[in-house]
């Protein structure tokens, strides 16, 4: 067998150039030892960046996998942050170290909202798949899935003191859910269009909703349980809160009066926004005292919610004014007037605070109330910028001051051209308004310069200057040392699409939409202002063509010039005489990119027809046409000194090809939008690419070889796993497809976990069979024979027993995937598993985990288990053992808990110290109360 050609793998190295992705929201977070309102979390494609807004630095990066981040929500204690992804997964990261231990997978599509409950023990997630799922964070498992909405979920809020949930959706409904019974007891239909967001105010006694018009609708919530509890002492506490008579009425009336048993929701009025378009986001601070909302423009509107005392003061003033007015009118009319009545309006409770005008359109906003009545506002703008503002809410006319602006780390618009310096150390990126030069190793911006809309660029030999070709047809020359624009040359009358450095490095060639190709030479001229010599370009020749020029390229030996035209052909000319040499035709749409190999033998062309063609440069014969991308091929470049080349497409992928064997080598996936361009470093070790997702990505050549057969096999496996995860949802026996359903979903991980459990049970059965055979052989021989060799897997796990190995396998299944893994498990394995569970409980091994698995299996296989006579004794033993063991564990925990509480009280009384950081406020309150009591006693004495 001959030697195969070896390819080296390119791997993702870094993501930079993105400050905040538009898909996910912005939120304030608190880091250990950090002050309040200093750090903000934003999504950066599949990662989450924590920015220090004061220093303008990234302080923490939460690494994602391959799907885009779609929502962020910090936990109430500020230690964790929940991150939702495009594929429906939710991962919880620690803000201490940036690691994740908990992940949930229940949604089929992008997560659109995440909220914690007041204690931070439960999490609710809403998605584009119209489902709402409630998760238990402590147990790391899904509690239930709530179905009822018909469109994307836009908001979900827990009510703190009641086990209720309120959700809104683009289907124009707001639904109230009773989490005790997992059903919707009230649907609000007062909106004519999508409900985009909502907030709870006034100790959760008012609901504010934002829709597709300029109104913010307010709804008064009255909890009828509380009213009945106050008026009728006989009423039981619970979710129905009815007497026996009421229950009878309810049975007759069905579910009609169900909402009346819990709460009633009536429209209280509406607040008019200044913006006329839909609400894009609506948020409040932690105490729900300040409301911030905005539309698709650059204005953030702030409202303040007055407390009951403030409202009463305001109403008293109003009444006084009304009385004065009435008295005046009475004097003029000389007759008695009725006592004036002042009606309490919604605008008396929610008043406009101020407006904040951002520098661009706002995408998301978050606000945070700090000490001294200061309000901090963070805005994520649509042009890849984060701005923060601060204002005093207590002032009569509060005005917002801009405190920081994060712009340096990225471009405002898409990067359309990239270039590497000759020493591989600097990267040039240019967009619609700026050109930046980055240090490749640190990914820090070295220079930022304003420019016109750039379409192509290059470093001038020596790497001291750069040249840009712009959409207006100009050539702009910048000096890197000073960061100044040296000269603007009016080069063409149309867009300057392509720019190529001559192989002798003495000039450049430009191709434009004005149907000309122009040749330029570098010159040094004396600057009139400084007297120093500076670089310029001198026009030498022009090649006139019949069609718009899209791309130009010199052959490395400077003999030929390839020009791609709008008529879908590539024409090749001799460089010295500009005589026509060859025409390459075959593409169905225009050729957008092309490159010539280092040895002048091959030319590769990439077209908008999604194909890449490889041609011989001697006779213009097409060696091979390959279907390369699922959309237009935007960029193509050979790796220096090889016949390997990279292509980038609008299908979000970058692919590597072999031009000799016409084989696809590898695909670099990472970008989430169209890839506009890429650049390969002169040594071929690095690639940088830019995309419509605002990110720049660096790829590095590793020492790991690629074996093509393995690569294709991995691709097929990935496709199969993806299709398997999208397969049918496993049906739970006895579960009706109603409003509530199981939270988990079938994934590749759950299937693999079920397979591991099955393999462990097979191994356990095999080892048991071996032991039985050994016992029989010993009895037959009448002497003790050497025991059979244990399974190598058991030896590898430290010579554990087969039953203990099964428990270890079950314990290693992720908590959030355990139920679905057991659901996938075929019934023939269940009886053996139940017998094992019995032995585990008797030994006191992982009682909580075993009980959880046992109850789930009993629930889903109840019919088959109860009809199996062989399992009758096993179930009976399980019943007795489980009850006694659980009671025993509960007693131990109760005893330990009481002992710890006793110790805590002892230490607190001795040292006047209170445990836990969050209890410091309560300690101060207790001290104040004690002092008051002491003063009162002294006064009485």
């Amino acid at each position: 067998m001959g030697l195969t050609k070896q390819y080296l793998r390119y791997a993702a190295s870094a993501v930079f150039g993105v400050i905040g992705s538009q898909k996910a929201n912005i939120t304030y977070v608190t880091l250990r030892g950090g002050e309040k309102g200093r750090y903000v979390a934003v999504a950066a494609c599949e990662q989450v960046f924590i920015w220090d807004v004061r220093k303008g630095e990234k302080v923490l990066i939460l690494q994602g996998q391959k799907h885009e981040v779609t929502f962020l929500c910090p936990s109430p204690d500020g230690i964790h942050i929940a991150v939702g992804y495009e594929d429906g997964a939710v991962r919880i990261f620690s803000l201490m170290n940036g690691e994740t231990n908990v992940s949930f997978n229940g949604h089929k599509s992008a997560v659109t909202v995440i909220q914690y409950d007041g204690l931070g023990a439960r999490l609710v997630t809403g998605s584009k798949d119209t489902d709402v799922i409630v998760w238990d964070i402590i147990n790391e498992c899904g509690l239930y899935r709530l179905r009822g909405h018909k469109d994307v979920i836009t908001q979900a809020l827990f009510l703190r003191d009641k086990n209720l949930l309120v959700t809104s959706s683009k289907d124009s409904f707001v639904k109230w859910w009773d989490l005790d019974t997992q059903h919707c007891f009230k649907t609000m239909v007062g909106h004519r269009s999508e409900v985009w967001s909502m907030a709870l105010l006034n100790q959760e006694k008012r609901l504010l909703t934002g829709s597709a018009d300029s109104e913010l609708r307010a709804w008064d919530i009255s909890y009828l349980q509380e009213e009945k509890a106050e008026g009728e002492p006989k009423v039981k506490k619970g979710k129905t809160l009815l007497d026996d008579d009421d229950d009878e009425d309810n049975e007759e009336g069905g579910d009609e009066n169900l909402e009346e048993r819990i709460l009633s929701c009536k429209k209280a009025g509406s607040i008019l926004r200044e913006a006329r378009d839909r609400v894009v986001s609506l948020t409040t601070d932690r105490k729900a005292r300040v409301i911030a909302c905005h539309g698709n423009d650059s204005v953030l509107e702030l409202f303040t919610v007055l407390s009951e005392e403030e409202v009463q003061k305001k109403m008293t003033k109003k009444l006084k004014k009304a009385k004065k007015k009435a008295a005046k009118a009475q004097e003029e009319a000389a007759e008695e007037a009725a006592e004036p009545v002042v009606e309490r309006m919604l605008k008396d409770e929610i008043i406009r605070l101020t407006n904040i005008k951002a520098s661009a359109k706002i995408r998301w906003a978050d606000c945070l109330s700090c000490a001294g009545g200061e309000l901090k506002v963070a805005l994520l703008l649509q042009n890849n910028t984060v701005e923060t503002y601060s204002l005093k809410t207590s002032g009569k006319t509060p005005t917002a001051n801009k405190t920081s602006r994060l712009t340096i780390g990225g471009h405002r618009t898409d990067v359309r051209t990239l270039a590497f310096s000759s020493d591989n150390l600097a990267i040039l990126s240019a967009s619609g308004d700026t050109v930046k030069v980055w240090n490749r190793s640190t990914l820090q911006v070295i220079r930022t310069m304003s420019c016109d809309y750039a379409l192509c660029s290059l470093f001038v030999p020596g790497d001291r200057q750069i040249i840009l070709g712009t959409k207006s047809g100009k050539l702009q020359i910048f000096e890197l040392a000073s960061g100044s624009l040296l000269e603007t040359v009016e080069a063409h009358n149309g867009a300057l699409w392509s720019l190529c450095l001559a192989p002798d490095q003495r000039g450049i060639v430009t191709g434009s939409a004005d149907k000309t190709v122009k040749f330029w030479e570098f010159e040094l001229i004396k600057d009139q202002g400084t007297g120093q010599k500076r670089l310029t370009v001198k026009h030498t020749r022009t090649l006139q063509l019949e069609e718009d020029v899209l791309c130009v390229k010199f052959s490395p030996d400077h003999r030929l010039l390839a020009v791609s035209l709008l008529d879908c052909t590539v024409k090749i000319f001799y460089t010295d005489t500009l005589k026509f040499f060859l025409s390459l035709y075959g593409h169905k749409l225009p050729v957008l990119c092309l490159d010539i190999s280092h040895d002048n033998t091959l030319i590769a062309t990439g077209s908008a027809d999604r194909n890449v063609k490889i041609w011989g440069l001697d006779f213009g014969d097409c060696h091979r046409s390959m279907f390369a991308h699922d959309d237009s091929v935007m960029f193509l470049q050979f790796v220096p000194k090889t016949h390997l080349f990279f292509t980038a497409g609008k299908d979000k992928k970058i692919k590597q090809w072999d031009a000799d064997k016409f084989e696809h080598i590898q695909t670099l996936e990472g970008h989430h939008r169209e890839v506009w361009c890429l650049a390969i470093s002169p040594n071929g070790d690095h690639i940088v690419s830019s995309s419509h997702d605002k990110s720049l990505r660096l790829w590095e050549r590793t020492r790991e070889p690629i074996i093509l057969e393995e690569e294709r096999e991995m691709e097929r496996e990935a496709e199969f796993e993806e299709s398997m995860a999208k397969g049918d949802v496993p049906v739970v026996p006895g579960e009706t497809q109603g409003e509530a359903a199981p939270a988990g979903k079938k994934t590749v991980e759950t299937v693999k976990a079920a397979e591991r459990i099955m393999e462990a049970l097979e191994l356990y059965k095999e080892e048991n069979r071996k032991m039985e055979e050994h016992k029989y052989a010993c009895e037959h021989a009448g002497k003790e024979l050497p025991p059979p060799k244990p399974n190598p897997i058991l030896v590898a796990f430290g010579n554990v027993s087969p039953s203990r190995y099964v428990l270890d396998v079950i314990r290693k299944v992720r908590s959030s995937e355990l139920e679905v893994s057991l659901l996938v498990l075929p019934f023939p394995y269940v009886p053996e598993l139940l017998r094992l569970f019995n032995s585990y409980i008797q030994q006191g091994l992982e009682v909580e985990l075993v009980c959880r698995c046992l109850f789930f299996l009993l629930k889903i296989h109840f019919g088959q288990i109860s009809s199996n006579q062989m399992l009758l004794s096993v179930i009976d033993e399980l019943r007795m053992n489980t009850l006694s063991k659980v009671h025993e564990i509960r007693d131990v925990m109760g005893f330990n808990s009481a002992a710890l509480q006793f110790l805590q009280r002892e230490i607190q009384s001795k040292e006047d110290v209170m445990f836990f950081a969050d209890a410091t406020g309560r300690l101060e309150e207790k001290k104040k109360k004690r002092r008051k009591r002491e003063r009162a006693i002294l006064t009485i004495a």
Side-chain angles (χ1 to χ4, degrees):
M1 185 181 168
L3 283 170
T4 57
K5 191 168 182 180
Q6 193 181 56
Y7 306 107
L8 294 177
R9 186 182 298 281
Y10 281 83
S13 171
V15 179
F16 62 106
V18 59
I19 292 168
S21 292
Q22 306 300 303
K23 272 213 164 180
N25 58 317
I26 185 171
T27 179
Y28 276 107
V29 292
T30 49
L31 296 187
R32 185 170 46 193
E35 63 185 79
K36 211 175 173 187
R38 182 170 174 177
Y39 303 101
V40 293
V42 288
C45 297
E46 72 277 9
Q47 299 176 341
V48 176
F49 288 169
I50 311 292
W51 290 94
D52 181 339
V53 290
R54 183 183 289 176
K55 292 182 179 176
E57 293 175 356
K58 266 181 279 198
V59 290
L60 188 62
I61 297 174
L62 308 179
Q63 294 290 343
Q65 288 165 345
K66 64 176 185 177
H67 294 282
E68 224 174 339
V69 174
T70 54
F71 205 86
L72 304 170
C73 180
S75 62
D77 58 9
I79 296 169
H80 298 95
I81 185 167
V83 181
Y85 293 90
E86 185 77 35
D87 64 338
V90 177
R91 296 167 75 198
I92 296 174
F93 289 87
S94 165
L95 290 171
M96 302 291 181
N97 50 23
E99 291 176 3
T100 175
N101 298 319
V102 183
S103 66
F104 301 123
N105 213 328
H107 292 291
K108 291 176 190 169
S109 52
V111 175
T112 53
V113 62
I114 303 175
Q115 283 294 335
Y116 278 90
D117 70 351
L119 296 170
R122 287 181 303 173
L123 195 70
V124 61
T125 59
S127 165
K128 281 187 178 176
D129 64 7
T130 74
D131 289 351
V132 176
I133 301 180
V134 180
W135 306 92
D136 184 341
I137 293 171
I138 295 162
N139 271 340
E140 297 178 23
C141 65
L143 294 174
Y144 33 80
R145 181 190 302 267
L146 303 172
R147 292 177 174 146
H149 284 292
K150 299 289 185 290
D151 210 334
V152 179
I153 309 297
T154 54
Q155 185 61 285
L157 300 167
F158 280 108
L159 274 76
R160 282 185 187 167
D161 303 327
K162 293 143 189 92
N163 201 20
L164 302 177
L165 179 74
V166 57
T167 59
S168 65
S169 166
K170 281 170 69 175
D171 62 5
S172 80
F173 298 136
V174 173
K175 286 182 178 283
W176 291 83
W177 305 84
D178 185 343
L179 298 184
D180 289 324
T181 55
Q182 294 124 47
H183 79 284
C184 172
F185 65 86
K186 183 176 179 64
T187 301
M188 290 164 56
V189 291
H191 300 89
R192 293 173 188 165
S193 53
E194 302 96 335
V195 181
W196 287 101
S197 192
M198 59 181 181
L200 286 164
L201 313 171
N202 295 1
Q203 282 81 44
E204 299 176 344
K205 290 187 177 176
R206 174 158 291 153
L207 183 71
L208 197 68
T209 57
S211 189
D213 51 22
S214 58
E215 284 184 43
L216 292 178
R217 291 170 177 79
W219 310 79
D220 277 337
I221 306 163
S222 53
Y223 299 99
L224 303 178
Q225 302 174 347
E226 291 172 6
E227 290 171 18
K228 290 188 179 183
E230 286 167 16
E232 302 170 19
K234 290 181 185 178
V235 175
K236 298 173 192 173
K237 272 198 173 180
K239 60 180 177 294
T240 56
L241 292 164
L242 289 171
D243 293 333
D244 296 336
D245 298 340
D246 292 333
D247 282 332
E248 284 168 22
D249 293 342
N250 185 57
E251 281 170 21
E252 290 170 4
D255 285 340
E256 287 175 12
N257 299 323
L258 190 56
E259 63 188 67
E260 298 304 324
R261 294 187 293 177
I262 300 176
L263 57 83
S264 68
C265 208
K266 291 171 185 172
K267 192 169 179 184
S270 59
I271 307 161
L272 277 176
R273 294 163 49 235
E274 285 182 3
R276 294 280 172 235
D277 57 346
R278 76 170 181 89
V279 170
V280 172
S281 80
L282 170 72
T283 185
T284 64
D285 63 339
R286 283 279 173 85
K287 291 178 181 175
R289 292 297 306 274
V290 176
I291 305 160
C293 70
H294 65 90
N296 272 314
D297 52 12
S298 58
V299 178
L300 180 80
E301 297 180 51
L302 293 173
F303 299 89
T304 185
V305 183
L306 299 180
S307 65
E308 192 58 37
E309 291 172 11
E310 289 168 328
V311 173
Q312 290 300 334
K313 279 182 185 175
K314 198 173 180 184
M315 296 311 292
T316 311
K317 281 182 184 176
K318 261 193 168 185
L319 191 61
K320 277 183 183 175
K321 277 185 184 177
K323 279 181 178 176
K324 276 184 183 177
K325 204 173 179 183
K328 199 175 179 184
Q330 189 179 338
E331 281 173 18
E332 286 172 6
E335 59 182 44
E336 282 191 22
E339 187 73 20
V341 178
V342 178
E343 196 180 337
R344 183 163 162 173
M345 308 282 285
L346 185 67
K347 62 183 180 184
D348 297 321
E349 298 174 37
I350 301 171
I351 58 168
R352 185 178 294 277
L353 195 61
T354 186
N355 286 355
I356 295 176
K357 182 85 167 75
S359 58
K361 286 182 179 179
I362 303 168
R363 186 65 191 88
W364 297 96
D366 192 27
C367 54
L368 182 73
S369 289
C370 300
E374 186 188 11
L375 180 75
K376 291 185 177 179
V377 178
L379 304 178
L380 174 62
L381 308 182
Q382 287 186 16
N383 65 350
N384 196 27
T385 307
V386 169
E387 289 184 351
T388 60
Y389 293 82
S390 173
L391 69 152
K392 290 277 184 185
T393 53
S394 51
K396 282 187 178 179
T397 53
T399 50
N401 301 312
K402 191 185 288 186
T403 51
S404 65
R405 189 164 184 248
L406 305 178
T407 56
I408 294 174
H411 288 272
R412 309 286 71 76
T413 54
D414 291 357
V415 171
R416 298 307 295 259
T417 175
L418 293 163
F420 262 101
S421 61
S422 58
D423 58 3
N424 310 291
L425 292 177
I427 299 168
L428 179 155
S429 65
S431 67
D433 55 355
T434 52
V435 53
K436 289 177 184 283
V437 179
W438 309 75
N439 182 321
R440 179 186 56 75
S441 52
T442 62
L443 301 178
Q444 296 298 313
V445 179
I446 304 166
R447 286 281 179 273
T448 299
M449 299 160 278
S450 293
C451 66
D452 290 350
Y453 198 116
L455 294 174
C456 48
S457 63
L458 55 82
F459 278 90
V460 175
D463 297 335
R464 293 183 180 181
Q465 296 90 9
I466 57 171
I467 297 181
L468 299 182
T470 69
K471 200 172 183 179
S472 56
K474 296 171 187 170
L475 280 173
Q476 291 189 313
I477 305 169
F478 291 89
E479 186 176 44
L480 290 182
S482 60
S484 59
L485 175 65
L486 293 179
E487 189 180 3
T488 300
V489 179
E490 298 284 347
H492 291 272
N493 296 325
L496 204 159
W497 288 112
S498 188
L499 191 65
C500 181
L501 183 68
D504 60 4
Q505 300 195 337
R506 291 181 179 178
I508 56 171
V509 63
T510 57
S512 165
D514 66 359
K515 304 179 184 178
T516 59
V517 172
K518 292 188 179 180
F519 294 80
W520 309 79
E521 282 183 358
F522 294 132
E523 273 193 351
L524 285 172
I525 59 166
K526 190 174 274 189
D527 196 315
Q528 299 293 331
T530 59
Q532 300 287 324
K533 285 192 173 181
R534 67 168 178 82
L535 183 85
T536 187
V537 286
K538 178 187 171 188
H539 179 226
T540 56
R541 291 185 293 170
T542 301
L543 174 63
Q544 185 68 45
L545 294 153
E546 298 80 33
E547 294 286 342
D548 290 15
V549 177
L550 299 177
C551 191
V552 291
K553 196 78 182 178
F554 278 116
S555 63
D557 60 1
H558 208 168
R559 191 172 69 93
L560 301 170
L561 176 72
V563 181
S564 82
L565 302 173
L566 200 62
D567 62 2
C568 311
T569 64
V570 175
K571 291 197 164 40
I572 299 171
F573 301 89
Y574 289 104
T575 308
D576 49 359
T577 61
L578 297 184
K579 280 187 178 177
F580 175 75
F581 172 49
L582 286 172
S583 181
L584 311 178
Y585 53 89
H587 283 290
K588 294 182 181 70
L589 289 169
V591 172
L592 302 176
C593 49
L594 60 88
D595 200 12
I596 299 171
S597 63
H598 70 287
D599 54 4
N600 311 289
T601 57
L602 298 174
I603 178 169
T605 57
S607 163
D609 65 7
R610 303 178 286 178
N611 289 307
V612 165
K613 292 183 188 287
I614 298 163
W615 317 74
L617 208 50
D618 296 334
F619 306 106
D621 55 323
C622 182
H623 289 185
R624 184 64 63 94
S625 178
M626 298 180 291
F627 183 77
H629 290 269
D630 297 328
D631 208 332
S632 301
V633 182
M634 297 301 294
F635 208 84
L636 184 150
Q637 191 176 343
F638 277 97
V639 177
K641 298 178 183 173
T642 68
H643 277 188
L644 307 177
F645 65 91
F646 279 91
T647 59
K650 278 189 177 179
D651 61 353
K652 314 172 193 175
K653 294 186 178 85
I654 298 164
K655 294 185 179 181
Q656 188 184 10
W657 307 83
D658 187 338
D660 292 329
K661 295 188 174 182
F662 317 118
E663 283 186 314
H664 170 220
I665 300 165
Q666 75 171 121
T667 302
L668 304 179
E669 290 186 359
H671 283 294
H672 302 284
R673 296 287 180 281
E674 302 93 328
V675 182
W676 295 130
C677 59
L678 60 85
I680 302 175
S681 62
N683 61 8
D685 283 345
H686 296 91
I687 299 170
V688 64
S689 57
S690 80
S691 165
H692 185 44
D693 62 13
K694 297 285 195 298
S695 71
L696 299 174
R697 286 174 188 263
L698 194 63
W699 314 83
E700 196 171 351
R701 183 157 61 187
T702 62
R703 301 296 103 195
E704 180 194 345
I706 292 177
I707 297 152
L708 294 182
E709 289 78 13
E710 285 184 10
E711 197 73 9
R712 298 296 88 79
E713 184 62 34
M714 282 162 63
E715 283 175 15
R716 282 193 292 273
E717 277 180 18
E719 277 179 28
F720 171 71
E721 286 177 358
E722 204 172 323
S723 63
M724 187 168 64
K726 287 177 182 174
D728 296 333
V729 180
V731 179
V732 182
E735 289 281 352
T736 56
Q737 294 297 313
E739 286 181 336
K745 76 168 183 182
K746 182 182 168 186
T747 60
V748 179
E749 286 76 20
T750 58
V751 174
K752 284 180 179 175
E755 284 172 358
R756 285 196 297 272
I757 294 169
M758 286 190 276
E759 284 167 11
L761 286 166
E762 290 290 352
L763 187 146
Y764 169 74
K765 286 178 186 175
E766 183 64 27
E767 289 300 303
N768 275 2
R769 188 183 58 77
K770 278 187 196 173
M771 292 308 293
E772 288 292 329
E773 285 175 1
H774 176 253
K775 192 178 176 184
Y776 177 75
C778 289
E779 285 174 3
H780 192 68
K783 60 177 181 179
E784 191 67 33
L785 296 172
K789 283 186 180 178
N791 193 298
I793 295 172
L794 300 177
V795 177
F797 277 83
N799 282 323
V800 293
S801 65
S803 63
R804 189 60 194 255
Y805 173 67
V806 176
L807 182 61
D808 287 346
V809 169
I810 294 170
R811 196 171 54 192
K812 282 175 186 171
V813 177
R814 193 178 282 165
S815 182
S816 57
E817 294 165 357
L818 187 60
E819 272 89 356
V820 186
S821 302
L822 291 171
L823 190 57
V824 175
L825 203 67
F827 181 73
Y829 290 95
V830 173
E832 200 64 55
L833 208 50
L834 292 176
R835 291 186 186 96
L836 280 169
F837 286 168
N838 196 16
S839 67
Y840 298 150
I841 287 169
Q842 282 174 343
Q843 296 167 54
L845 298 170
E846 299 284 346
V847 177
E848 191 180 341
L849 174 69
V850 170
C851 284
R852 186 178 158 195
C853 297
L854 171 65
F855 299 150
F856 184 74
L857 287 172
L858 286 172
K859 187 171 83 172
I860 63 171
H861 296 298
F862 178 76
Q864 285 167 292
I865 290 169
S866 58
S867 60
N868 191 332
Q869 291 294 320
M870 304 285 284
L871 290 175
L872 195 63
S873 58
V874 179
I875 296 296
D876 196 43
E877 278 184 54
L878 273 168
R879 180 178 59 83
M880 293 167 68
N881 294 335
T882 307
L883 281 168
S884 62
K885 212 70 188 174
V886 168
H887 283 146
E888 189 184 313
I889 291 169
R890 190 186 62 186
D891 292 344
V892 170
M893 286 181 72
F895 182 83
N896 290 344
S897 173
L900 287 168
Q901 284 171 7
F902 173 74
L903 284 171
Q904 182 182 340
R905 286 195 297 271
E906 287 290 303
I907 294 166
Q908 282 176 2
S909 61
K910 279 180 189 174
E911 299 181 15
D912 201 18
V913 170
M914 203 158 191
F915 271 73
F916 311 116
D918 63 344
T920 50
R922 285 193 289 140
L923 181 64
E924 291 299 320
E925 283 173 23
K926 280 188 177 181
K927 279 184 182 175
K928 281 178 187 174
K929 281 178 185 175
R930 197 191 305 148
R931 283 185 206 128
K932 276 184 183 176
R933 277 202 305 272
E934 284 169 4
R935 280 182 203 141
I937 291 160
L938 286 168
T939 358
I940 292 160

